[in-house]
Amino acid sequence: QLVESGGGSVQAGGSLTLSCALNGYTFSRYCLAWFRQAPEKEREGIASINHNGDTCYADSVKGRTVIAKDNDQNTLYLNVTNLEPDDSATYYCVAGHWVFCAANGPSIAARKWTDFGYWGQGTQVTVS
């Protein structure tokens, strides 16, 4: 079970770090990612990391976002800086087959959240 936390209300220009406890998810090869969904918009992939540490970012967040995994804590993180109102959304942590995060594969922005077999219930982020 994946459990996200860290959401809340933030002023534009601020930063936020989201956490995802990867309870019981202990595959040696994996793809972990963050998706988000704003009201009346489709769920979009914004960042991913695989077991080799290869990361991928959607253009919408590239340069102001870092995805990282703490192996000791088995926790996934997403740090977003310079937040904009368009970043307001529910953020979801997902996990799945490593092929979805292959270094030479499509961007996470091109992935569907239904490709992943595990996901959390989301944490709301509001930027004003």
Side-chain angles (χ1 to χ4, degrees):
Q1 181 183 5
L2 309 183
V3 181
E4 302 95 336
S5 61
S9 296
V10 187
Q11 288 190 337
S15 62
L16 202 63
T17 297
L18 305 180
S19 301
C20 174
L22 305 170
N23 300 323
Y25 191 84
T26 57
F27 291 95
S28 59
R29 298 200 297 176
Y30 53 79
C31 175
L32 303 173
W34 288 93
F35 278 67
R36 68 183 183 186
Q37 186 169 21
E40 301 182 359
K41 292 189 177 180
E42 291 191 2
R43 198 168 298 192
E44 61 171 347
I46 59 171
S48 67
I49 186 169
N50 66 17
H51 52 283
N52 289 327
D54 300 314
T55 57
C56 177
Y57 299 95
D59 289 343
S60 58
V61 300
K62 191 176 295 183
R64 59 189 185 93
T65 298
V66 175
I67 184 172
K69 181 177 183 284
D70 184 323
N71 290 324
D72 291 338
Q73 299 294 323
N74 204 29
T75 300
L76 181 70
Y77 297 97
L78 183 76
N79 176 258
V80 185
T81 60
N82 196 21
L83 284 160
E84 307 164 352
D86 284 348
D87 293 318
S88 297
T90 300
Y91 285 68
Y92 298 90
C93 167
V94 301
H97 198 282
W98 67 269
V99 71
F100 297 132
C101 288
N104 58 352
S107 167
I108 186 62
R111 294 294 183 189
K112 298 179 181 178
W113 71 279
T114 50
D115 289 336
F116 297 81
Y118 302 85
W119 54 86
Q121 295 198 355
T123 184
Q124 178 69 41
V125 173
T126 302
V127 184
S128 59

